[in-house]
Amino acid sequence: MVLRKLPGVSASGMGLRLSQKFVFLLFLSGLVTLCFGALFFLPDTVRLKRIFLSKSDSPAVTVGSDNDAREVSKKVSGDQEHQRVGLKGVDANVKLKVSRKPSVTHGSRTVERSVGSRTQEEWSPARAHEPAARDERVTSAAHNGEHGSGFSYERFKKCLLKPPLGKDQGKPSDPQTLQRREKVKEMMKFAWDSYKRYAWGKNELRPLTKNGHIGNMFGGLRGASIVDSLDTLYIMGLMEEYEEAKEWIQNNLDLNSNGEASLFEVNIRYVGGLLSAFYLTGAEIFKQKVVELGEKLLPAFNTPTGIPRGVINLGSSGTSWSWGWASAGSSILAEFGTLHLEFVHLSELSGNPMFTEKVMNIRKLLSKIEKPHGLYPNFLSPVSGNWVQHHVSIGGLGDSFYEYLIKSYLMSDKTDEEAKRMYYSAMEAIETNLVQKSPGGLTYVAEWRGGILDHKMGHLACFSGGMIGIGADDGPPEKRQHYLDLAAEITHTCHESYSRSATKLGPEAFRFDGGAEATATRLSDRYYILRPEVIESYMYMWRLTHDPKYRQWGWEAVEALEKHCRVEAGFSGIRDVYASMVSHDNMQQSFFLSETLKYLYLLFSEDDLLPLDDWVFNTEAHLLPIIRKNCLREHDSTLDNGQTPLE
Ligand code: DMJ
């Protein structure tokens, strides 16, 4: 290359004068500052996304219900299609880009993500299911970790107000309901047997090709379907299967993996699944594994603000990254906001306060930060602690954050006043800004983009019927009935999104504009991947109202699942709920076993099966007990009234 001599510039080595060097440096640093600032402050425009999204070998398609954040590259190659999961915040099993830099993304790379009121002796799990008796004996030889856990399973059991499995495992007296419940149990057995036969040890079953899927959403961890199924198998009394699952955990669940995992997904499925299995059965192995796994997640919180990044290396490095698709290296509200329940229980079991400290720090930041119109945007910088853009949604990217606020309050035996305050003021803001009525009279929760409403609701947002329902009773007295009505209206709208399709299953997202009323208008929103949220709301609304329509709607869903999703080797999602000739997506999601089938089973059971006075469900439907004062820890030697609640 020929360098031309510029006036005033010496030709030797581009020798600039000192003042010119200074001006040049000033210009350069200005440019860098400008770029840096732009990444933080510009809205999430298509232009910006182009910078962040990796070039893939196929065109980018919109995945999941969030068009801005989830425009991920989807690799389709014959039957090797990467499935779309559309989890809270992230879509599993799709090709996703991970931002390698802690805050602003410069470099990036692509990764595939891919027991009424009987005495405690009568209700002990030992009576319900023999294997549990062994588990409890193992547990009473308390395992004290580095911190000395001080946790006593016996003490915990005494503190439950009611037997977890009810007086007769929740068996309904009405023959039709019993028959329906048996059908759901048969579906679980079929899904489990198929997974066992074709995909044992892998993360999910591919029911068409009859093989297993691993993906890399769990950072090299295996057996997601096993961990996710443990409590469902146990509750349904599928004890042989539960024992197989437990044995696999004991002998094969290797936590020494070195891959990149979604903190959120590992937490809700693995941590949640193991905690739930431990509290239900008392088997020590689950406690050991979950505490070990929890410790591997702690480095994700090593950020300037303590807000964890979305992706963590489970190996010894513990390095973490932000999702490449998330605006400017931000963390996702539904991800860092969906750790609280599990982490509080990790502290209870391990005696290590660190877990609780980490999530309380998140809480503190979110409580203090200024919120536009009282709303919580979905993206926050783990470096600056500021919102990155103003997209608000009670569906994907935001959803389970709100769920964990009210459940934190309930799980704390209604002592966590901060969670209560945050939940009800968020609800006020959501009602003022997002809740809408369609011309046809359907109540829905729209999304908010910097003040502009997007009149759509994702399937994920349909959990909110149940959430608003369980939160109704603790709201301001004058709003209690209102919240219950709102919960019923939202659940009704979500049911409409099912009944307006040819398959009677609901689409990934449905709209209320351009003449649409609870129907998907885009091809890319028409799929159904065995998601639970609508059925989850039926279950809660049944428990709260005992209106028979909820059981009827649940049964309609069972029939549709059987007709359209059941294939020879398991259950599969479908690509278009409006096509009567269905095309299957070849994926039996692990949440189908942990959530969809569990909620259906509970819907057709008596309310004394897993009573809500004692338990909350995490966002993957795993059970976590309400923490009563002086009930879990050894040093809490006396109960308030000197008695156990069952005495
Ligand atoms: C599940 O993994 C959980 O319910 C999560 O919170 C959201 N997505 C799936 C089910 O749709």
Side-chain angles (χ1 to χ4, degrees), residues 525-542:
D525 284 340
R526 294 177 166 201
Y527 62 92
Y528 172 69
I529 55 166
L530 307 174
R531 283 198 193 282
E533 291 78 16
V534 175
I535 292 165
E536 175 180 350
S537 284
Y538 297 166
M539 191 283 289
Y540 283 115
M541 293 309 293
W542 163 256

Side-chain angles (χ1 to χ4, degrees), residues 310-373:
V311 186
I312 180 170
N313 184 295
L314 295 177
S316 53
S317 75
T319 329
S320 66
W321 302 274
S322 299
W323 292 112
W325 50 265
S327 292
S330 57
S331 296
I332 313 298
L333 180 68
E335 296 200 329
F336 64 79
T338 309
L339 302 166
H340 201 101
L341 304 180
E342 295 83 0
F343 274 56
V344 166
H345 271 292
L346 282 170
S347 280
E348 290 294 337
L349 289 189
S350 67
N352 181 354
M354 184 89 81
F355 297 105
T356 301
E357 283 163 23
K358 299 289 183 199
V359 290
M360 284 313 291
N361 179 56
I362 298 175
R363 166 79 69 74
K364 210 162 86 196
L365 190 147
L366 289 174
S367 168
K368 280 195 181 147
I369 191 172
E370 201 183 315
K371 299 166 250 307
H373 300 269

Side-chain angles (χ1 to χ4, degrees), residues 470-491:
I470 56 169
D473 240 14
D474 297 295
E478 71 282 4
K479 293 207 77 174
R480 290 180 185 164
Q481 187 57 44
H482 166 74
Y483 280 139
L484 202 55
D485 294 344
L486 179 62
E489 285 172 28
I490 291 171
T491 307

Side-chain angles (χ1 to χ4, degrees), residues 14 35 37 58 95 149 196 209 217 247 308 320 352 382 387 449 489 499 509 515:
M14 275 293 279
C35 294
S58 63
K95 284 266 181 188
S149 81
K196 192 177 142 193
T209 46
M217 192 166 65
E247 203 182 307
S320 66
N352 181 354
W387 302 119
R449 295 171 192 279
E489 285 172 28
S499 61

Side-chain angles (χ1 to χ4, degrees), residues 74 192 263 298 386 390 397 442 617 630 645:
K74 178 171 166 261
W192 174 262
L263 172 66
L298 288 173
N386 293 321
H390 289 180
L397 303 176
L442 295 178
F617 294 87
N630 296 339

Side-chain angles (χ1 to χ4, degrees), residues 72-130:
V72 295
S73 58
K74 178 171 166 261
K75 192 178 149 204
V76 182
S77 60
D79 59 2
Q80 286 281 303
E81 179 181 350
H82 294 274
Q83 302 293 315
R84 299 172 295 186
V85 181
L87 307 168
K88 313 234 160 133
V90 286
D91 285 10
N93 311 328
V94 293
K95 284 266 181 188
L96 283 186
K97 207 191 67 157
V98 174
S99 156
R100 277 294 186 184
K101 291 282 155 114
S103 53
V104 178
T105 309
H106 297 297
S108 62
R109 66 188 200 94
T110 305
V111 293
E112 189 197 344
R113 283 203 59 228
S114 60
V115 203
S117 51
R118 306 164 103 204
T119 67
Q120 65 196 72
E121 277 73 31
E122 282 176 281
W123 63 260
S124 82
R127 285 265 171 125
H129 307 301
E130 266 314 309

Side-chain angles (χ1 to χ4, degrees), residues 86-88 264 268-269 460 531-533 591 595 619-620:
L87 307 168
K88 313 234 160 133
F264 165 79
I268 66 166
R269 302 195 200 204
L460 289 169
R531 283 198 193 282
E533 291 78 16
F591 53 68
E595 293 192 78
T619 195
E620 188 80 358

